[in-house]
Amino acid sequence: MGFDLNVERIAAENDGRLESLQEDYDHLGLQLARRNVDIEALTDRAMAFRVAVPSWGVGTGGTRFARYPGPGEPRNVNEKLEDCEAIFKLMRTTPGVSLHIPWDRPENAAELRQCAELRGLFIESMNSNTFQDHPGQRLSYKYGSLAHVDQSVRRQAIEHNLECLHIGFDLGARSHTVWIGDGGNFPGQFHFRKALERYIESLRVIYEALPEGWRLFIEHKPYEPAFYSTVLSDWGTSYYCARELGSRAFSLVDLGHHLPNTNVEQVVARLIQFGKLGGFHFNDSKFGDDDLDAGSVKPFQLFLVFNELVDAERECVPGFDPAYMIDQSHNVTDPIESLMTSVVEIVRAYVQANLVDRDALAAHQSANDPLMALQTLKLAFNTDVAPILAMARHRAGGAIDPVAVYRASGYRQRMQCARPAGARSSAGIV
Ligand code: RM4
Ligand code: MN
Ligand code: MN
């Protein structure tokens, strides 16, 4: 039962779907031509788009209440890459993988790099973890890490980040992402100014050790695990720190790390304007850092974020080169399916943002015509670009219907046999 996910087999699966896709695609092509849009140019853009998947997202996640393990979960970094390869084969948009240390600490970095390359993958970004204590660790992060009051804890946290850089260098990564859990649960617990000073001082050591060509991404978050205050609480603080550190330090926007009702697309525009937008952790949320599948709750917001990104791309804003990455936790779905459908939503938002008639929008803005300005955005957002996304995948060797092909392949059932339940290397509960 089932089949291997190889190019021939995926092409064979596409065969039965191609005729109706071509019909839809041609029809959409005619509709877009009436709007002076070349569908082929959009398909090319969809094919060129890249977003990285998180190694920690292929295992089942959990909440602070419980984790319900899924069948055939990856038990180590090699098996995580195996799942990432399955996603890559079906989607073709996701050759990059983000790793989390120590969850993914390799025994031999050169071997892991080769293993990724043989799968057509590469390591995009390293992520440090000083928000948990790890076995064998000398000092605890219970009261913080890079911003801890005790210098020896800060030193330990710095050393951990330096280790991430070393491993990442051997793996061929190009960036390092730092998110810390430092913060206070109660008023008075942390001295706001001094804690931030300590954080910057620690980060400076990490920044100075960045390998050539690397970028440092710092990720802010307003609350959790600390519930009263966090050290890197918002994009303004993040921008300030990135600027203090230097030209290779940037702010990373995790879509779930904002207070309710924050205008995230405006935050994105600000960071672009100030030359400090480093990248994204895509996910979606209803209340907090829910880490739900991208585009599942607020697809219009995702579109508006991409509207800013495409606008900057078109204007060739100097230094604009954000790293697109996913950061999700899949508690009730098959993680591979969630990641694939999230990628679809992300590329959808990107293609729709490319459909915005920017000359018309500028004219409506100049004429103080808010109604037509919004309608210009809505016209793009309401265009069903699914045939473009499917055609882009097909032309790149991926699946027209990734979830259907994945399910038919029996991949999960095979993994259930090949990977009997055992120790997992990632917590996945954060
Ligand atoms: C945090 C943050 C980080 C991620 C961890 C697992 O909330 O989003 O990016 O590395 O979760
Ligand atoms: Mn994140
Ligand atoms: Mn998060």
Side-chain angles (χ1 to χ4, degrees), residues 139 145 148-158 201:
L139 303 163
S145 58
H148 198 283
V149 286
D150 184 339
Q151 200 213 323
S152 41
V153 180
R154 297 203 296 278
R155 189 65 228 174
Q156 178 180 283
I158 292 170
E201 190 187 287

Side-chain angles (χ1 to χ4, degrees), residues 56 100 103 127 131 179 219 221 254 257 281 289 327 430:
W56 60 99
H100 230 300
W103 298 338
N127 289 253
F131 46 85
W179 174 72
E219 188 180 348
K221 182 169 173 175
D254 182 311
H257 292 194
H281 273 177
D289 187 25
D327 177 10
V430 182

Side-chain angles (χ1 to χ4, degrees), residues 272-287:
I272 293 171
Q273 187 163 4
F274 304 156
K276 283 297 186 189
L277 179 69
F280 282 88
H281 273 177
F282 290 114
N283 52 54
D284 211 338
S285 55
K286 180 73 181 162
F287 297 108

Side-chain angles (χ1 to χ4, degrees), residues 162-384:
L162 299 182
E163 188 204 354
C164 293
L165 298 183
H166 282 130
I167 297 172
F169 181 79
D170 291 343
L171 290 173
R174 301 297 302 269
S175 63
H176 181 48
T177 306
V178 181
W179 174 72
I180 55 166
D182 295 39
N185 261 20
F186 299 100
Q189 183 182 341
F190 259 61
H191 188 292
F192 293 142
R193 279 184 289 121
K194 286 182 183 160
L196 188 63
E197 269 168 28
R198 293 194 294 268
Y199 169 72
I200 295 175
E201 190 187 287
S202 298
L203 266 188
R204 221 182 280 285
V205 183
I206 300 163
Y207 179 83
E208 295 303 334
L210 273 187
E212 220 187 295
W214 276 51
R215 292 187 291 171
L216 179 68
F217 298 145
I218 51 175
E219 188 180 348
H220 63 273
K221 182 169 173 175
Y223 82 100
E224 204 190 31
F227 291 120
Y228 168 70
S229 69
T230 61
V231 173
L232 199 67
S233 48
D234 50 62
W235 74 270
T237 312
S238 174
Y239 167 72
Y240 170 79
C241 292
R243 210 184 56 178
E244 280 292 293
L245 288 167
S247 60
R248 294 198 286 155
F250 296 87
S251 302
L252 182 134
V253 176
D254 182 311
L255 291 187
H257 292 194
H258 309 271
L259 293 173
N261 303 328
T262 297
N263 187 335
V264 180
E265 53 273 25
Q266 191 175 45
V267 169
V268 170
R270 292 282 191 266
L271 288 171
I272 293 171
Q273 187 163 4
F274 304 156
K276 283 297 186 189
L277 179 69
F280 282 88
H281 273 177
F282 290 114
N283 52 54
D284 211 338
S285 55
K286 180 73 181 162
F287 297 108
D289 187 25
D290 307 342
D291 280 335
L292 297 174
D293 300 10
S296 59
V297 181
K298 294 172 291 200
F300 190 48
Q301 185 193 61
L302 186 62
F303 162 79
L304 292 173
V305 165
F306 270 103
N307 180 45
E308 297 305 323
L309 297 169
V310 169
D311 191 68
E313 204 176 85
R314 291 275 172 94
E315 275 189 19
C316 299
V317 170
F320 176 77
D321 184 22
Y324 296 142
M325 303 180 275
I326 296 176
D327 177 10
Q328 295 179 176
S329 175
H330 312 107
N331 306 341
V332 295
T333 52
D334 179 321
I336 291 182
E337 296 185 4
S338 267
L339 283 165
M340 291 196 301
T341 47
S342 299
V343 172
V344 171
E345 294 312 309
I346 292 164
V347 188
R348 188 194 310 281
Y350 175 67
V351 171
Q352 287 173 329
N354 270 283
L355 269 176
V356 173
D357 184 339
R358 294 186 188 276
D359 293 337
L361 183 60
H364 298 317
Q365 288 168 348
S366 302
N368 290 315
D369 191 341
L371 187 123
M372 286 312 295
L374 172 61
Q375 289 310 312
T376 304
L377 293 182
K378 280 291 180 75
L379 178 62
F381 176 68
N382 288 328
T383 306
D384 180 4

